[in-house]
Amino acid sequence: MWRYGELLAGGMSRGAVRHQVRAGRLGRLSRGVYGCTDDEKSRLCALFRRLPPGTVAGFHTGARLHRFGAIPGDRVHVIVPPGVSARRIRGVVTHQTVLPVPDAVEIAGIPCAPATRCAVDLARVLRRADALPVLDLCLRAGACRRDDLLTEVAWHAGLRGVRQAGELIALADPRPECRQESQLRLLLIDGGLPPPEPQLWVPDRDGIPIYRLDLGYRDRRIGLEYDGASHLDPGRLHHDRSRLNWLAEHGWRMRVYTATDLYRPRHIVASVRSMLTAPA
């Protein structure tokens, strides 16, 4: 990976650089930075050559590098040291923080804030419905332990959103398998209902686990499912119908929700509350 000036200093002419780029043997990874491999991590490495020393990837970008990027986005998020100003670069969000990042790690050649820092920063600034899926996935991916998150959030005392972060860390669970399952669980908790059990296994009469529910209340035999686009596959649809029929025959009361339902939280909470308060 080379800066444009380094290529010229090494003996290449401007025309030779253009020729190498047109031939696909050299890629323009960032403004003024060239390399042979054009992929996301190479472009990130090139970008960091344009940023002040001590800058690290953080927030959404850091979470993605640590394998718990539950929030999609095209922009690159970086943290610059306190008191350091960085040039404006298109597609880059610069976070100037009062808290230094003394224990940065390197991932594929990219300086990055530790996983706990990325998780807590996101839990502070995102809305609750987006923050809990990040924390759940962080635990599921093994990037952090809950105790480490609690230690990190204590270090952020007094900063905006730290109270929300602490509340959500207490609720975080590694079991949900998608973002919407985490959001459905939080919706019920925020609605004043008992926390449902994620990925609840239902056994047959011999005690052998046979079906797994996204969420449920085992003692009341209430199951809650989130159906995404994958459930529209004909084979999956047939399996889902067979499973729901079996559960109904064995005393389980089920509710199935979609992405549209998540925009109607009061309806979901009222529906589940009515099942919880109804005679078993």
Side-chain angles (χ1 to χ4, degrees):
M1 190 176 300
W2 309 273
R3 287 184 175 274
Y4 187 60
E6 293 170 346
L7 292 173
L8 298 181
M12 291 185 70
S13 67
R14 296 176 185 272
V17 173
R18 289 195 294 270
H19 174 73
Q20 293 292 325
V21 171
R22 286 196 296 268
R25 290 189 289 270
L26 198 63
R28 185 175 183 269
L29 305 181
S30 188
R31 184 175 182 179
V33 184
Y34 295 79
C36 297
T37 305
D38 189 1
D39 56 26
E40 182 185 13
K41 289 186 177 177
S42 296
R43 289 192 294 272
L44 274 176
C45 287
L47 173 64
F48 271 88
R49 296 203 63 180
R50 303 174 58 195
L51 294 168
T55 302
V56 300
F59 291 82
H60 308 65
T61 304
R64 189 162 65 249
L65 289 171
H66 285 290
R67 298 180 296 110
F68 60 93
I71 305 300
D74 296 329
R75 297 192 295 177
V76 175
H77 291 255
V78 300
I79 302 172
V80 298
V84 173
S85 60
R87 69 175 75 176
R88 293 176 66 102
I89 300 175
R90 180 180 297 179
V92 177
V93 180
T94 301
H95 299 267
Q96 291 196 339
T97 175
V98 297
L99 292 180
V101 187
D103 48 355
V105 297
E106 188 173 290
I107 302 175
I110 301 162
C112 186
T116 51
R117 175 63 179 268
C118 298
V120 170
D121 277 340
L122 287 174
R124 288 194 302 106
V125 303
L126 294 175
R127 66 190 186 104
R128 288 173 65 86
D130 290 328
L132 185 62
V134 168
L135 294 172
D136 284 353
L137 184 55
C138 175
L139 295 179
R140 183 175 180 83
C144 301
R145 297 179 303 172
R146 189 188 308 277
D147 288 347
D148 297 330
L149 290 172
L150 291 172
T151 299
E152 179 71 27
V153 79
W155 195 50
H156 291 244
L159 296 184
R160 177 175 66 90
V162 71
R163 181 176 178 179
Q164 169 181 283
E167 292 172 353
L168 294 178
I169 288 169
L171 298 176
D173 193 299
R175 288 173 289 180
E177 295 187 340
C178 73
R179 180 170 174 241
Q180 292 82 0
E181 289 179 25
S182 298
Q183 292 175 327
L184 180 56
R185 187 172 101 257
L186 180 63
L187 187 154
L188 296 171
I189 294 171
D190 284 351
L193 299 181
E197 179 182 343
Q199 297 302 311
L200 186 157
W201 278 101
V202 178
D204 61 15
R205 288 190 174 91
D206 297 321
I208 299 173
I210 183 171
Y211 288 125
R212 186 172 56 170
L213 311 181
D214 292 341
L215 296 165
Y217 297 93
R218 187 184 303 275
D219 58 337
R220 300 303 306 273
R221 292 194 172 226
I222 294 172
L224 311 172
E225 293 277 275
Y226 172 79
D227 271 8
S230 64
H231 290 260
L232 299 178
D233 174 79
R236 181 68 179 270
L237 192 62
H238 173 75
H239 175 268
D240 286 346
R241 293 296 178 264
S242 298
R243 184 177 67 147
L244 288 175
N245 289 338
W246 186 94
L247 290 164
E249 291 167 1
H250 290 78
W252 282 82
R253 291 173 291 166
M254 298 294 299
R255 290 291 185 274
V256 180
Y257 301 106
T258 66
T260 302
D261 293 313
L262 294 179
Y263 291 98
R264 305 166 59 207
R266 292 183 181 178
H267 165 74
I268 294 177
V269 170
S271 172
V272 176
R273 179 177 284 116
S274 67
M275 289 195 295
L276 286 171
T277 57

